[in-house]
Amino acid sequence: MNIKPPLRRTGGMLAMLALAGCAGFSGDAGMGAIDPLVQARTGAPARVLKTDADRRALDELLQARLAQPLTVDGAVEIALLNNRTLQASYWELGIAEADLVQAGRLQNPAFGFQRTRDGDDVSIERTLTFNLVSLITAPLASRIEGRQFEQTRLQVAAEAVQVAADTRRAWVEAVAATQAVDYARQVAGAAEASAELGQRMRQAGNWSAYDQAREQAFYAEAMADVARATQAATAAREHLTRLLGLWGTQAQFRLPDRLPDLPAAPRDIADVEQRAVRERLDVQAANLATQRTATALGLTRATRFINVLELGAVRESDGGAKARGYEVTLEIPLFDWGGARTARAEAVYMQAVNRLAATATDARSAARESYQGYRNAYDVARHYRDVVIPLRKKISNETLLRYNGMLLSTFELLADAREQRAAVNAYIGALKEFWLAESSLETALGGRLPAVPQSQGAAR
């Protein structure tokens, strides 16, 4: 190696290279890189809270959204901005961006100064050393960190999309639980009326102790059902509250009285597997991880024989005499030829390749399973809406006619009312399962699906 750069020329050249390699910060902690991904898949923006102005804007948004019954889209919008766990994940982008900027900057030179004295003789040595390996490998290191930033971008965006999906499911659970409490109370009211009537008839001697005990037992079970439904509604609401990051008076938000109606027709998606592999962020992140590992393997092979390489400019003065020169330090691969590092890099690369294949396989399977579950959930909910509920209403109307004609007793009328409400409650459960299945389908396919027209609901 023939290296003879003068000290000033070497310093100026490396200074220009350092300035040319300096990468700047985005100013938004890298959020501009994931906001389009999140908005396209959730319909809501992703923002990191950095300043007091950001928090004031969030407070205004919360005040506007919580002033009325919270919709599912409003819940997702709040969660993407106010969920503190997600906000912490957003800062992972800032960390990755800092690493990317750091990778584009050269290592600082090392300056050494030595002064020795031997009697009247004074020797002064000055050394300025540059790490040539960092200079040679800086472009490749920047590419590696660039892929790491892209991988982090996809991972953070995927987490935001997952929080949005969890919020949608929690909203459905909370609204369905509130609706179930309402129907449980209606059933309990009918049971209370039946039990009170039975007690009066028993006191009048017109009813047996067995029949009265049956009505009282049903009323007691109905009240227990109300308690269980109320507890389930509380748990579902608190789960949603945690995802929204709300507390204090904000936790007193209102929800709609009932779930959205069943769509007029289910979605017909023919290419669920291809769409999942194309759109899912975890598959894209795994692909980038494989590319980054391959790039790192190339770096390992390039530097396996050059572990330490430093260039130094030396200036030495001994009394009145001055000497200039250079110094090169090279680690001799006498014992370690880099084979272990290369083998490790190859093993890590093959590990990444197999993880990518596993991620794609899992994505395809989840897409098929979720789509089949979505269609089945729609069929069950439609069966309750179009068959079971109309039949229960028809039976109820016929029972009422016979009661008015004094062909049926009051208790038979009350029993029919309980059965009708049980059918409606089952329809609510089927409708809830459908909306949960649609949310799972969106998650499996990697993004929110377009809205479809809704039909008139049967449960009122």
Side-chain angles (χ1 to χ4, degrees):
M1 181 178 293
N2 186 13
I3 303 177
K4 297 182 179 180
L7 178 61
R8 276 185 284 183
R9 184 179 302 174
T10 302
M13 177 184 66
L14 292 179
M16 288 187 293
L17 287 174
L19 291 175
C22 286
F25 290 94
S26 63
D28 61 356
M31 287 301 297
I34 74 165
D35 184 53
L37 291 176
V38 176
Q39 285 214 48
R41 288 162 173 80
T42 66
R47 299 284 187 273
V48 65
L49 302 180
K50 296 180 60 178
T51 64
D52 292 337
D54 295 334
R55 300 189 183 281
R56 285 194 298 269
L58 175 60
D59 291 338
E60 293 175 359
L61 174 68
L62 292 176
Q63 185 177 3
R65 295 293 182 269
L66 301 181
Q68 52 191 349
L70 185 62
T71 64
V72 63
D73 292 334
V76 169
E77 185 178 11
I78 292 174
L80 291 181
L81 298 176
N82 200 48
N83 186 293
R84 294 301 178 178
T85 302
L86 187 57
Q87 281 289 324
S89 297
Y90 288 159
W91 284 104
E92 287 290 337
L93 278 173
I95 297 173
E97 185 182 48
D99 292 339
L100 175 60
V101 172
Q102 184 64 45
R105 296 180 178 177
L106 300 178
Q107 291 185 13
N108 292 324
F111 175 74
F113 178 83
Q114 181 179 353
R115 182 180 185 275
T116 59
R117 183 185 183 95
D118 184 8
D120 295 334
D121 297 330
V122 177
S123 177
I124 297 176
E125 181 178 348
R126 305 174 186 87
T127 304
L128 185 64
T129 305
F130 300 89
N131 190 316
L132 290 185
V133 172
S134 66
L135 175 63
I136 296 171
T137 61
L140 188 56
S142 296
R143 288 198 297 271
I144 293 174
E145 290 299 333
R147 288 199 172 96
Q148 175 63 43
F149 177 79
E150 286 297 315
Q151 183 181 354
T152 303
R153 178 177 75 99
L154 293 175
Q155 290 173 344
V156 174
E159 184 173 349
V161 172
Q162 185 62 50
V163 168
D166 292 342
T167 302
R168 289 184 182 278
R169 285 192 286 268
W171 184 91
V172 171
E173 293 277 5
V175 174
T178 302
Q179 198 171 352
V181 170
D182 180 56
Y183 277 96
R185 288 173 178 168
Q186 292 187 34
V187 172
E192 182 181 14
S194 178
E196 182 179 353
L197 181 60
Q199 183 179 4
R200 292 179 181 179
M201 294 183 66
R202 172 63 178 164
Q203 291 173 352
N206 297 328
W207 224 27
S208 66
Y210 170 75
D211 291 332
Q212 181 191 8
R214 287 184 59 188
E215 292 301 320
Q216 289 178 340
F218 180 78
Y219 174 56
E221 292 175 359
M223 292 304 297
D225 290 340
V226 171
R228 282 192 291 266
T230 302
Q231 177 57 34
T234 301
R237 182 183 177 90
E238 288 301 327
H239 182 213
L240 176 61
T241 303
R242 289 193 295 272
L243 287 170
L244 298 178
L246 302 177
W247 59 280
T249 57
Q250 295 175 343
Q252 300 174 5
F253 60 89
R254 293 175 295 154
L255 290 171
D257 296 331
R258 57 194 302 274
L259 289 170
D261 294 328
L262 194 67
R267 303 177 187 275
D268 189 9
I269 306 176
D271 58 342
V272 290
E273 293 186 38
Q274 293 81 359
R275 180 167 181 167
V277 174
R278 183 178 64 251
E279 299 293 336
R280 283 182 55 146
L281 295 177
D282 58 341
V283 176
Q284 297 180 24
N287 188 29
L288 276 176
T290 304
Q291 296 178 15
R292 182 173 63 88
T293 305
T295 304
L297 175 60
L299 175 61
T300 301
R301 284 175 172 168
T303 61
R304 61 182 299 185
F305 297 117
I306 308 176
N307 294 331
V308 177
L309 177 61
E310 293 182 346
L311 168 66
V314 181
R315 179 178 181 179
E316 182 179 354
S317 62
D318 186 4
K322 296 182 179 180
R324 293 182 176 86
Y326 63 88
E327 178 184 25
V328 176
T329 302
L330 176 64
E331 182 177 296
I332 301 175
L334 184 60
F335 304 108
D336 183 4
W337 289 77
R341 292 199 312 276
T342 302
R344 183 182 187 279
E346 291 173 349
V348 171
Y349 172 72
M350 293 307 302
Q351 185 181 59
V353 169
N354 283 278
R355 283 176 176 170
L356 172 60
T359 302
T361 301
D362 293 345
R364 292 175 181 271
S365 176
R368 295 192 303 269
E369 180 183 2
S370 298
Y371 183 63
Q372 188 62 43
Y374 164 81
R375 293 301 297 260
N376 290 339
Y378 181 86
D379 292 341
V380 171
R382 182 177 58 184
H383 178 74
Y384 270 98
R385 183 195 65 186
D386 297 343
V387 179
V388 177
I389 297 300
L391 283 175
R392 293 307 317 174
K393 287 184 176 180
K394 183 177 180 180
I395 293 173
S396 179
N397 292 335
E398 293 295 328
T399 302
L400 183 59
L401 289 175
R402 284 162 175 73
Y403 173 78
N404 292 334
M406 302 183 68
L407 299 176
L408 294 177
S409 67
T410 303
F411 299 103
E412 291 174 302
L413 181 64
L414 292 173
D416 176 73
R418 292 196 296 265
E419 292 176 0
Q420 182 183 3
R421 288 187 173 89
V424 172
N425 201 37
Y427 172 65
I428 295 173
L431 190 59
K432 180 191 75 172
E433 293 301 323
F434 165 76
W435 289 115
L436 292 177
E438 183 178 74
S439 179
S440 298
L441 177 62
E442 290 179 340
T443 301
L445 296 184
R448 191 178 180 187
L449 300 173
V452 295
Q454 293 181 352
S455 61
Q456 187 67 24
R460 293 291 181 184

